Amino acid sequence: MRYILLAVIVILSSDLMAQSEELPTVLTSDFAKKIYEIDTNAHAIVLFEHGKTRIDKSESDRSLMVFHHYKTRLRILTKEGYEHANFTIPLYKYGSNFEYISDIKATTYNLIDGKIESTPLKNKDLFLENRSEFVKLNKFTLPDIQIGSIIELEYTLISPDIFNFRSWQFQTAIPKLKSNYRVQIPATYKYNITLKGPLKLSDTKSKVQRECLILNGQKIDCSDITYFMDNIPAFKTEAYMLAPKNYISAINFELEEMAMSRGGIKTFTKKWSDVDRELMTDKNFGGQLKKTNLFEGIFAETVNASSSPYDKAKEIFKWIQQNIKWNNTYGKYTQHGIEDALKAKNGNIADINLTLVTALNTMGIESYPILVSTRENGIPNSLHPVISDFNYVIAGVKIEDKTYLADASDPLLPFGELPLRCINDKGRIIFSKKSSEWIPLVNNQISSTDYSFDGLLDLSGTLKGRLVITYSGMDAVGKRRNILEYGSVAEYEEAIDEKLTNIAIKEINIGNLHDNEKELIENLDVEIKTADHIIGNSFNFNPIFINRISKNPFNLDERNYHVDIGSKRDESHTITIRLPNGSSIKASPKNTNLVLPDKSARYSYKSELRDGTLYVTQSLSLKKAIYDSNEYFQLKELFSRIIQHLKIDHSFNHVPDATL
């Protein structure tokens, strides 16, 4: 990953803007091209994209606002590209005010019988969805989309978020021929500008715009800069990755200093010690940790005074899980406060986990809040504190020199494990008396699924027996959630019976469904049609009849970002099948043992026919939660070889009159 840091103070160059912001008229010749060299498999392509952001006075808002003007023209190339005619523009709340949009203009152009027909977007086709208390979504779909359609979109977004100005993503899910971004920043503001990602700018033009803003009677000059990037490849997403925003080529702005109208400089980029102090004195963060009186007497009956600190922590954690339900809202600050959350039995992430921290400290168990940025929110800035990077808080519980990471918002999580949304590089642990520090966000528990089958293959080609599936770690959490989505075990059984078309489930029993401290165990009596009717001298079947790896999760020619699977993983199959009398192996997959360098991953397969019984063991072990991009092709090749290996069936000779 590449970063370029720039400090915007005053730009002395007076180069003129190299390109007009106006789009040329759509011509019939624009429809002629069917394939673009930048990506011959693209389903849609951006022909041109322009953004312009400035800080100016808003008379209606009676304050300085960020005005962001966006304009684009793109082409739909296939039916799969129709989705790129759907637009969602998020609007965020800052303080008491939401961002808002004005002047949306959108048109679809089609070439019909040699003539260009235009279809504008109508106001009735604009929809505003209230996603949460802090987010609204402006949604619309361009009309009359066909293969070859050209789309134009233009709008202005007005935001009170002067601190972060406006980010610009050069790279998205489809390729772009041209993208440029122009910013006009008053000289009273100094921003840290970060160019992130692997792609280079094709050009940068800058000048000083005189008297661009009049503030309190003072005329202020602006830095006027345009960033250009051409022939931008699409960003290809793949399994086991963090948020794309961590890797795509983009430019970000963060306010560092502001010159005050009455003199002096206000600094926004702070030291962690400043952030620590602000957090611990904030009534919705550190102020909540002082409310230890709320827990006097609560745990007298639920927590055994003679228990170990670890067992006490688990009991308190479980009590919080059961008594405050998460309202599906993130936050590093409490939404209601822990007192009201306890009364209402409902709250946001901070309500729940700051309650956990306070309750643990009340009971004499050392605990601290840890700021987290969730996976979809992006990796937090490690160069200097950016408090807005964090959108979540968990608990760090220190017991005998070991810190356990805990999130009580999910009733399916055992103590000491985090949901996948929190496994995102590192968090910042906020101590009460010393400086905060970074802490890795990891799950030490290996996620594993073990399949064990013991059965009999009869002469009809049907395999009957007992399948036992054992889940632990995050695999157990995910499976519990999957089962509990259904109204009953019977409904779950019916659903998986329909899904597993080659497996008939005769009976199912589930162990430890509601005890998240134990392994989850599924016991299934099954019938599987694995082979053709056994007539004559031979038959074939594959003993890995469930969860056989058949698709490689790694398919890119090049991946510039690491593989993050959330935790170490194990998967194993132990198969025992008694064959019809007179069976012998004619051909079978070779026993194999594949190991990556440094033993970071291993795959093994072994089969043996002994005394009329086929024994098969298979295991895949991923010894790392995160693999670097330079290990990508090794992982890709490993899965490719596994898939090829598992395509081979066992082939048997069968002598009907043989006796044992």
Side-chain angles (χ1 to χ4, degrees), residues 109-129:
Y109 297 93
N110 290 302
L111 187 64
I112 307 296
D113 297 328
K115 295 182 179 180
I116 298 174
E117 293 186 359
S118 62
T119 308
L121 177 72
K122 297 180 180 178
N123 287 335
K124 68 180 183 66
D125 295 324
L126 296 171
F127 301 95
L128 188 63
E129 175 187 327

Side-chain angles (χ1 to χ4, degrees), residues 515-534:
D515 190 345
N516 60 21
E517 293 290 337
K518 295 181 179 179
E519 294 177 328
L520 176 67
I521 302 173
E522 287 186 288
N523 289 279
L524 305 98
D525 288 332
V526 297
E527 288 187 6
I528 307 120
K529 188 68 174 176
T530 64
D532 294 332
H533 189 76
I534 303 174

